[in-house]
Amino acid sequence: MDKNTLHPLIIERLQAALELAQRAALSAYEAATDEQNIAENKYDTLGLEASYLATGQARRAQEIRQSLSAWQQLTLRPFDPLQGIQLGALVWLADAREREQCLLLGPDGAGLKLQWLGQEVMLVSPRAPLGQRLLGCGPGDEVELRIAGGVQHFEVLRVV
């Protein structure tokens, strides 16, 4: 599998998410500044609520903008067994029940899922616990992840 074909799909998806977030922020801003939403008494909070929403939407748009920039600057390199898993690695894992999953270790955009060649690929950041544990690993290595008092074990099947 060529992960270089996946890279533009991620950028495209992030650009679409950014456009959506920017439209939502603009819509919330317009609602917050609309004359009809001026408070008539202390219990009339529609304008205030719209203002909070606009602020949150603007923050979300900025986060997506930063993620998009990081992905645009990322150069995907082939897997180097001497360095192990690094940023840009496409990794297949199996859990204790032998369920497989495919992850792309990226600079940001964690949690984003894409369908690629009939396979679901989830983006994982090195800031995420699983992303941290994968750094430096290679095929055949086992990774242990402690979540909410439980322990999950994964085996690295292959890396591209």
Side-chain angles (χ1 to χ4, degrees):
M1 290 189 157
D2 181 17
K3 64 185 171 186
N4 290 309
T5 60
L6 188 56
H7 192 231
L9 296 176
I10 295 166
I11 291 172
E12 180 181 304
R13 187 84 170 270
L14 288 171
Q15 286 172 331
L18 178 58
E19 289 172 18
L20 184 63
Q22 287 173 327
R23 284 195 308 269
L26 179 60
S27 177
Y29 172 78
E30 289 171 350
T33 58
D34 190 307
E35 287 180 22
Q36 293 180 0
N37 290 334
I38 294 175
E40 295 176 8
N41 59 50
K42 67 180 183 178
Y43 301 107
D44 190 358
T45 61
L46 187 59
L48 181 61
E49 292 168 9
S51 173
Y52 289 146
L53 181 60
T55 301
Q57 293 289 5
R59 248 189 235 123
R60 177 68 183 133
Q62 181 59 28
E63 290 170 359
I64 296 170
R65 193 175 294 109
Q66 289 172 345
S67 180
L68 177 59
S69 176
W71 275 99
Q72 288 170 329
Q73 295 174 24
L74 179 67
T75 301
L76 298 177
R77 293 181 174 80
F79 175 66
D80 179 355
L82 297 177
Q83 290 187 347
I85 294 172
Q86 298 296 316
L87 202 60
L90 188 59
V91 182
W92 283 265
L93 299 176
D95 65 12
R97 295 183 183 156
E98 297 185 18
R99 293 179 297 198
E100 288 189 26
Q101 58 181 313
C102 183
L103 309 172
L104 179 60
L105 191 63
D108 214 336
L112 181 67
K113 294 179 183 178
L114 300 166
Q115 288 295 321
W116 181 57
L117 301 175
Q119 169 98 42
E120 182 178 83
V121 179
M122 184 169 68
L123 304 187
V124 175
S125 163
R127 291 185 306 272
L130 181 56
Q132 290 174 1
R133 304 287 187 302
L134 287 173
L135 288 173
C137 292
D141 288 345
E142 292 198 14
V143 177
E144 182 179 282
L145 189 61
R146 296 182 186 280
I147 298 177
V151 178
Q152 292 182 336
H153 295 274
F154 298 96
E155 179 184 356
V156 177
L157 301 175
R158 63 183 189 270
V159 184
V160 178

